[in-house]
Amino acid sequence: MQKLNDLSRSLTALEPDGTLIAVIEMSLSSWLVAGIVPGIERQPLKKLAVDESTLLKLLHRWREEAEKAGRRIERIAVGVAVSREHRRAKTDRLDTELLKRSFLGWLRGERDHCKMVEIPTMKDEDAKRPNREHDSLIGERSRIVNRMKAALVRLGIRGFNPKLKRASTRLDGLRTPEGEPIPPNALAELRRDMERRRLVNNQIRQIEEERLKRIEQAPCDGPHVMVRLLARVMGVGIETADMLVHEVLSRNMRDRRAVARYAGLTGSPDESGRKRREKGLARSGNTRVRRGMIQLAWRFLLHQKNSALTKWFRSRTENARGTRKPMIVALARKLLIALWRLVREGVVPDGVVLRPA
């Protein structure tokens, strides 16, 4: 690490201090200019009309801002984005060269040149296992039930619920539309599926009981405090609260935008010039959090009818057909940020009803 710090200081010393850098994204309708101005903490971003004189005035203004901050500008470097319409070479050698340039930029201390991955501790990673196993077992139980229903439908038997307690004792009395009993191999398969479903149910119940024991034994533990606080919100169950805390809310997020991005509840716009197209949700977020928050948003509308978020959703969708599904994602994003502020700052969302402590 000491060698890396020494190399970083040496590279920073070689970096030209009197250079104003401007990068331009050009289109036929407008120009988007981003700048790195010495002495200025912010990184300006300006959208201009297609006009060279306006661009020169902007660069001169940035130079004056740098000189007021005590930095003398000796040169202005301008870069233009290259068209990406044609195919480019892609090899492992070129990839390693790109990685080396990114690493050197990080050593020079360039802002936002690359991001560092926060590696969770063994304890934090292990705390996620019960909820993820519970989610997997719920899916396995649904697959078993669907498989049993499909086997009965192939025999022409409908209206039989394999989830009832006495379902296994009623199998012998079932008859096909022709009045025939269930064939022996199909009957044996159904019994094995019922036994498998019973085992999965026991495992799910065991995970839920152990979670409650952990919360009761260590109620003042950091994550457990968050889980208990979230579970007080009407419409939020202990399972959802546990998932949100261990997957996203216990992480050190910079701001509300980082929370929404991590959950995968932000859009992925495709904008260039006059072209404006939304390509749906970003796929880089946490799938469990995104799925859980969208389900929670629908429940939130039922249990928190007088909250400000519910009123906002209704005002946006009551007179606009076909907007409920897109707006439920926006509600899920706002709701997650509100819950993040609740567990971090203790700010209760406006109009939200809490259960007694």
Side-chain angles (χ1 to χ4, degrees):
M1 181 59 70
Q2 183 63 32
K3 293 182 179 180
L4 289 178
N5 294 333
D6 295 340
L7 180 58
S8 177
R9 286 192 293 268
S10 61
L11 290 173
T12 305
L14 295 176
E15 186 180 9
D17 187 33
T19 302
L20 189 152
I21 300 175
V23 180
I24 308 175
E25 175 71 28
M26 291 184 170
S27 66
L28 297 178
S29 59
S30 62
W31 291 347
L32 186 64
V33 187
I36 301 178
V37 184
I40 305 300
E41 179 65 22
R42 64 180 178 88
Q43 295 186 355
L45 184 66
K46 188 71 174 179
K47 190 172 185 179
L48 305 176
V50 181
D51 184 23
E52 295 84 355
S53 60
T54 305
L55 174 62
L56 289 176
K57 291 180 180 179
L58 177 64
L59 296 179
H60 291 162
R61 178 163 63 85
W62 286 350
R63 181 174 61 183
E64 293 174 357
E65 292 181 3
E67 291 176 351
K68 289 181 180 179
R71 298 294 184 89
R72 183 173 179 272
I73 301 299
E74 299 178 356
R75 63 174 180 174
I76 299 177
V78 180
V80 180
V82 180
S83 174
R84 295 175 293 179
E85 297 177 356
H86 302 288
R87 293 185 177 180
R88 292 186 179 184
K90 195 277 180 192
T91 63
D92 293 340
R93 181 181 60 83
L94 295 177
D95 291 342
T96 56
E97 293 293 333
L98 179 62
L99 290 174
K100 286 192 293 185
R101 288 196 296 270
S102 299
F103 189 65
L104 289 175
W106 174 73
L107 288 175
R108 285 194 299 268
E110 296 180 11
R111 181 179 177 181
D112 294 335
H113 196 278
C114 59
K115 303 295 184 181
M116 298 297 107
V117 177
E118 182 181 356
I119 302 177
T121 63
M122 187 69 69
K123 180 181 178 181
D124 294 338
E125 191 66 23
D126 187 66
K128 301 177 183 178
R129 300 314 309 167
N131 183 268
R132 294 186 177 185
E133 183 185 5
H134 186 277
D135 188 28
S136 177
L137 291 175
I138 291 292
E140 178 65 21
R141 183 175 62 181
S142 300
R143 286 189 292 270
I144 293 173
V145 173
N146 292 336
R147 187 165 60 244
M148 287 190 290
K149 290 183 177 180
L152 292 172
V153 168
R154 284 196 301 267
L155 298 173
I157 301 175
R158 293 178 174 83
F160 179 77
N161 189 359
K163 295 185 291 184
L164 297 178
K165 291 183 178 180
R166 299 182 179 179
S168 59
T169 60
R170 295 178 54 194
L171 284 177
D172 294 331
L174 294 179
R175 293 293 183 269
T176 64
E178 293 81 9
E180 298 293 333
I182 299 178
N185 290 333
L187 182 62
E189 180 184 358
L190 289 171
R191 292 191 183 281
R192 284 191 293 268
D193 282 338
M194 287 188 175
E195 184 64 28
R196 193 175 296 115
R197 179 181 175 275
R198 190 178 300 109
L199 174 61
V200 171
N201 275 337
N202 293 335
Q203 292 177 345
I204 293 175
R205 192 178 303 108
Q206 181 181 1
I207 293 175
E208 294 173 350
E209 292 175 354
E210 290 179 354
R211 179 196 295 120
L212 294 177
K213 289 181 181 179
R214 286 194 301 270
I215 295 177
E216 292 176 357
Q217 292 174 358
C220 297
D221 189 18
H224 293 168
V225 173
M226 294 183 184
V227 172
R228 294 173 62 191
L229 180 58
L230 283 184
R232 291 184 57 193
V233 179
M234 294 293 294
V236 180
I238 191 69
E239 181 66 29
T240 303
D242 184 72
M243 182 273 294
L244 290 177
V245 168
H246 289 103
E247 292 289 346
V248 59
L249 297 181
S250 60
R251 299 174 65 93
N252 293 323
M253 296 294 182
R254 182 178 64 256
D255 52 17
R256 58 186 180 87
R257 294 184 177 87
V259 176
R261 284 194 299 268
Y262 181 81
L265 294 172
T266 56
S268 53
D270 184 9
E271 298 182 1
S272 179
R274 295 180 180 178
K275 183 178 69 174
R276 296 289 187 275
R277 186 178 64 175
E278 186 64 41
K279 299 173 67 177
L281 291 178
R283 298 183 179 181
S284 58
N286 190 310
T287 306
R288 292 181 177 86
V289 178
R290 178 170 60 246
R291 181 176 63 248
M293 283 307 305
I294 292 177
Q295 294 173 355
L296 177 59
W298 289 114
R299 294 199 307 271
F300 190 82
L301 296 176
L302 297 176
H303 295 277
Q304 301 285 350
K305 296 182 180 180
N306 296 324
S307 64
L309 290 176
T310 301
K311 294 178 181 178
W312 172 84
F313 178 83
R314 290 176 178 173
S315 64
R316 294 297 186 93
T317 58
E318 59 182 357
N319 296 323
R321 297 183 58 185
T323 59
R324 286 178 60 85
K325 288 185 178 180
M327 290 304 298
I328 201 66
V329 178
L331 176 63
R333 179 171 60 250
K334 288 178 173 291
L335 179 58
L336 178 60
I337 295 172
L339 296 179
W340 175 69
R341 295 188 61 193
L342 173 63
V343 298
R344 289 291 180 177
E345 305 172 6
V347 179
V348 180
D350 188 14
V352 170
V353 179
L354 299 180
R355 298 184 180 94

